[in-house]
Amino acid sequence: MTEAWIVVHDLDGGNALARSARALAERVVAVSVGAGGLADADLTLTVDAAPGALVEAYAQPVAALLAARGATVVAFAGDVRSRLLAGQVAAHLGVGPTNVAGVVSTAPLVVTRLAYGGLAVATDEITAPVAVLVLEPGAVTPSDVAGQGAVEPVDATPTAGLTLVETRPKGGEQVDLTAAKRVVGVGRGFAAEADLDLARAVANRLGAELACSRPISEGVGWMPAERYLGVSGATIKPDVYLAIGISGQIQHLVGVNHAKVIVAINKDKNAPIFQQADFGVVGDLYQVLPALVDAL
Amino acid sequence: MRIVACVKAAPEDSDIAVKPDRTLDLSRAQWKVGSYDLNAVEAARQVADQVGGEVIGLSVGSEGWSGSKLRKDVLSRGLDSLVVVPGDPDADSFQTASALAAAVGELGGCDLVLLGAGSSDRYAQQVGNQLGALLGRPTLNQVDAITVDGDHVRVERLLEDGVQVVDVPLPAVLSLTSGINTPRIAGMKDILAAGKKPVSEVAAAMPGASARVASLLAPEQVDRGRVVVEGDPAETAQQLAQFLTTL
Ligand SMILES: Cc1cc2nc3c(=O)[nH]c(=O)nc-3n(C[C@H](O)[C@H](O)[C@H](O)COP(=O)(O)OP(=O)(O)OC[C@H]3O[C@@H](n4cnc5c(N)ncnc54)[C@H](O)[C@@H]3O)c2cc1C
C-alpha cells in the first residue's frame, strides 16, 4: 500500500492536510506536534510538545522519526510554522522541499510549482529519495474518505535555543476571499489609509469583498495579510475583479487572472493591468471613484 | 557583530519574454537583486549601525554578478563587502542553502545571517530555513522586527493568527518579512563608495538537485476584452458603471 506522511501542528489544519494527502497515497500517516491524534489520518504519531515550546524546535527529532520509519513522501501545509518545519525537516533529511501548486502524477511523483513570480509554471519530477512537499492552497482535491484514526504516542526532545516570550493573537475577522463573487482590489495608487473608504464605498455598492496588493498589506499594513492577492497571497476566482490603483505586476495578476471579468482603474494608461483587463478606465481614482459610486 | 545578508541575482521578470510555444526567453532579461533581498541588506545595516559591526553580502550564482552595475547597486545599499559563491543560480533551496552554509564556514562564521522573504525567481521561502538547520543554529522565518539585546535578539514573528515574540540566541538565521523595513535608496556618495568595496569569490560544493525540471512554461493566457476608456471622470465612471451592470 502506498503511504504518504504529513507533519502537522494544529488539529483543524492537520485534518485538512490529511484529507489532501490522501490524493498522494492510499494510507496517510501523521506526525502531530502538540496537536493530538487526527481523525482523518490512518495513524497519528503524537509528540507531546512541551508547554511554551515552538513546534519548530521538533524539526530534528521529527526528521529522525521519518527516516526511521522509512517515509518517502512527506507533506506539509503552507502556513508560516509548517513552512519552517518543512524546510528544516527536509534539510535534516538532506533534500529540498517543493512548493506544490498541483500534482500531475504520484508514480513517478510529478508536481507543478510557480516560477518567476507566476510568469511560468515549472513541472518537477521529484528525484530526491524523500519527497518533501509544501501543499499550497488548492494544490490537490481533498478526499472525503475517512481515516482509521489510530494513535501512537512517540517521544521527542525539542532542540534548545528559541524561547517564546509571548504570543499576541491577532484580532479581526477571518475572511475567505475564494468564495467571493465580486472583489475590489486596492493598490499603492491610494495615498493614505483613510482614502480606502473610497474603495469601500464602491465595494458596498457592488456587494464586493475588499482585497489588496501585497504592499498595501505587508508594506504599509493597511489591510490584513489574508486580504492580499497574488503569488504569495490568496488566489481568487470571482465573477468580477476590480483593480484600483494597482499596476498589475505578474506577482499580483497570478492571484486574480482566473476572474471571469477584470476591470481596472489606473491613472497610467501604460500600466500593465490594462493588458489583462476586460474594461479599463484611465483616470485618477480620486476623481473616478466618487463618480462611480454616484453612477452605481 | 558580523552579519551576513544573503542576496540573489535573478533575471528581472518584467524583461522575460514568453515565446509563442509558451517557453520563456530570458536572453534579454537584466539581472537584478530580488526586491525582498534588499530588506535583508537594510535590516543588516540597521543592526550593524546600532551595535557596531560589518555587513557581508553573500550570494550563490556568479552569472548575474559579472557586470559591475549590479555589484555597485547592492554594495551601495549598506553592504561592506560582497562574497559570491559560483554555482547554478537556478539551484534549488537545499543546494543553495548547502553552498551558503559552506561559504559561511569559509568566511570564518558570523553572528547573524539575514535573508529576505523569498527570491524573485523561485520564491521557495526555504533557503534560510534550510541554512539554519544545516548550520545547526536557531532559525525563524517571517521575522517582522529585530532588537539586539546582548547575546541574543528579540524578534517579532508574523503568523497567520498572531504575532510571536521570540528570544533567539546568537548566532542565528532569520528570514524576514517584506514589510520589516523600507530599503534605502542609495545616494551618489554611496554609489561612489560602493565601487571601492571588496568583492570576492568563495568556492563551495553543491549537492545534487531534489527534482528534475521537466518543463517550464507560461500558463495559457486568458483572452481579455481590453476596452480602455479615458477622459472626463464622470463620463468614464458612467461607462464603467454601465459595463458592471451588464455583467
Ligand atoms: C517574490 C515576490 C512575491 C510577490 N508577491 C506578491 C503578491 O502575492 N501579491 C502582490 O500584489 N504583489 C506581490 N509582489 C509585489 C509585486 O511585484 C508588486 O510590487 C506589487 O504587486 C505592486 O503593488 P501595487 O500595484 O499596489 O503598487 P505599484 O506597482 O506601485 O502600482 C501602483 C499603481 O497605482 C497607480 N496610481 C497611482 N496613483 C493613482 C491615482 N491617483 N489614481 C489611479 N491610479 C493611480 C499607478 O499608476 C500604479 O500603476 C511580490 C514581489 C516579489 C518580488
Side-chain angles (χ1 to χ4, degrees):
Chain A
M1 195 187 288
T2 57
E3 199 173 69
W5 286 70
I6 59 174
V7 179
V8 308
H9 64 85
D10 78 305
L11 200 55
D12 290 347
N15 277 314
L17 183 63
R19 293 193 294 276
S20 295
R22 217 167 275 284
L24 302 171
E26 289 145 337
R27 183 176 148 83
V28 175
V29 186
V31 178
S32 164
V33 183
L38 303 182
D40 288 317
D42 295 308
L43 170 66
T44 306
L45 309 185
T46 53
V47 173
D48 260 339
L54 287 152
V55 293
E56 293 84 353
Y58 290 88
Q60 191 154 28
V62 167
L65 184 62
L66 292 166
R69 302 279 178 127
T72 55
V73 177
V74 187
F76 292 79
D79 60 279
V80 171
R81 276 164 281 202
S82 295
R83 261 184 221 280
L84 177 50
L85 258 177
Q88 299 231 294
V89 165
H92 289 304
L93 293 171
V95 302
T98 302
N99 294 337
V100 176
V103 176
V104 178
S105 69
T106 52
L109 184 55
V110 178
V111 301
T112 56
R113 67 176 158 85
L114 299 182
Y116 299 110
L119 186 69
V121 177
T123 302
D124 280 359
E125 180 182 341
I126 310 290
T127 51
V130 186
V132 175
L133 310 175
V134 175
L135 299 184
E136 303 291 357
V140 293
T141 311
S143 151
D144 45 21
V145 176
Q148 310 259 297
V151 171
E152 177 191 332
V154 292
D155 283 328
T157 313
T159 308
L162 303 170
T163 310
L164 182 60
V165 180
E166 64 166 318
T167 303
R168 288 185 229 129
K170 191 166 68 181
E173 16 89 283
Q174 290 291 319
V175 283
D176 185 11
L177 293 174
T178 55
K181 289 274 173 243
R182 294 171 163 208
V183 176
V184 169
V186 296
R188 291 211 323 213
F190 288 81
E193 186 173 5
D195 302 343
L196 298 184
D197 283 346
L198 293 169
R200 282 196 188 95
V202 173
N204 280 342
R205 285 288 162 98
L206 292 172
E209 283 282 358
L210 203 63
C212 62
S213 65
R214 184 166 174 168
I216 294 297
S217 165
E218 264 201 14
V220 292
W222 294 348
M223 302 255 275
E226 49 280 6
R227 284 196 190 263
Y228 87 75
L229 307 172
V231 64
S232 47
T235 301
I236 55 167
K237 293 180 181 164
D239 293 338
V240 189
Y241 176 60
L242 172 52
I244 309 172
I246 288 180
S247 59
Q249 302 302 316
I250 184 70
Q251 293 88 353
H252 182 78
L253 287 176
V254 158
V256 304
N257 60 14
H258 293 293
K260 282 205 194 102
V261 172
I262 295 181
V263 175
I265 301 171
N266 196 302
K267 72 173 180 190
D268 172 10
K269 69 173 190 300
N270 295 318
I273 189 77
F274 289 127
Q275 298 298 314
Q276 297 298 327
D278 294 284
F279 194 97
V281 175
V282 179
D284 187 335
L285 68 90
Y286 288 93
Q287 296 174 347
V288 176
L289 291 185
L292 181 60
V293 172
D294 288 344
L296 282 169
Chain B
M1 192 183 300
R2 200 156 190 241
I3 308 170
V4 166
C6 297
V7 292
K8 180 173 187 179
E12 161 84 291
D13 44 57
S14 55
D15 295 341
I16 301 175
V18 177
K19 293 191 249 183
D21 64 357
R22 296 200 280 130
T23 57
L24 304 185
D25 176 7
L26 291 135
S27 62
R28 259 170 306 180
Q30 298 268 350
W31 290 83
K32 211 187 127 201
V33 173
S35 44
Y36 295 162
D37 298 354
L38 298 178
N39 295 120
V41 173
E42 179 65 34
R45 184 75 261 157
Q46 286 182 13
V47 171
D49 285 350
Q50 205 187 319
V51 300
E54 70 169 320
V55 181
I56 305 166
L58 184 58
S59 183
V60 173
S62 47
E63 211 175 323
W65 297 109
S66 52
S68 67
K69 190 162 158 265
L70 199 63
R71 295 198 300 247
K72 263 194 197 165
D73 176 35
V74 70
L75 284 163
S76 70
R77 294 182 190 249
L79 298 179
D80 295 313
S81 61
L82 175 66
V83 177
V84 175
V85 185
D88 180 5
D90 196 36
D92 67 34
S93 59
F94 185 66
Q95 295 178 294
T96 307
S98 300
L100 288 171
V104 168
E106 286 291 318
L107 294 176
C110 64
D111 303 296
L112 186 60
V113 183
L114 299 179
L115 303 93
S119 65
S120 57
D121 50 358
R122 277 193 169 247
Y123 198 66
Q125 302 150 266
Q126 288 293 6
V127 171
N129 300 345
Q130 298 215 287
L131 176 60
L134 292 173
L135 293 173
R137 294 180 183 179
T139 306
L140 281 179
N141 56 348
Q142 280 284 109
V143 169
D144 203 37
I146 303 175
T147 320
V148 183
D149 188 2
D151 61 350
H152 71 276
V153 289
R154 176 163 289 193
V155 305
E156 288 183 18
R157 181 186 188 211
L158 270 194
L159 302 177
E160 287 79 6
D161 55 357
V163 177
Q164 285 178 333
V165 180
V166 185
D167 277 345
V168 186
L170 298 176
V173 179
L174 305 175
S175 301
L176 313 175
T177 64
S178 71
I180 187 170
N181 55 38
T182 306
R184 67 195 59 191
I185 312 279
M188 215 11 145
K189 226 177 89 207
D190 303 311
I191 295 169
L192 289 174
K196 301 195 184 71
K197 290 180 179 174
V199 179
S200 57
E201 273 195 8
V202 162
M206 242 189 217
S210 292
R212 183 183 66 83
V213 182
S215 69
L216 182 66
L217 294 173
E220 302 270 11
Q221 284 297 314
V222 185
D223 261 335
R224 297 287 176 189
R226 283 163 67 170
V227 174
V228 176
V229 296
E230 203 171 343
D232 174 51
E235 221 163 274
T236 53
Q238 188 67 47
Q239 287 167 303
L240 174 54
Q242 226 150 42
F243 177 80
L244 288 170
T245 46
T246 60
L247 298 176

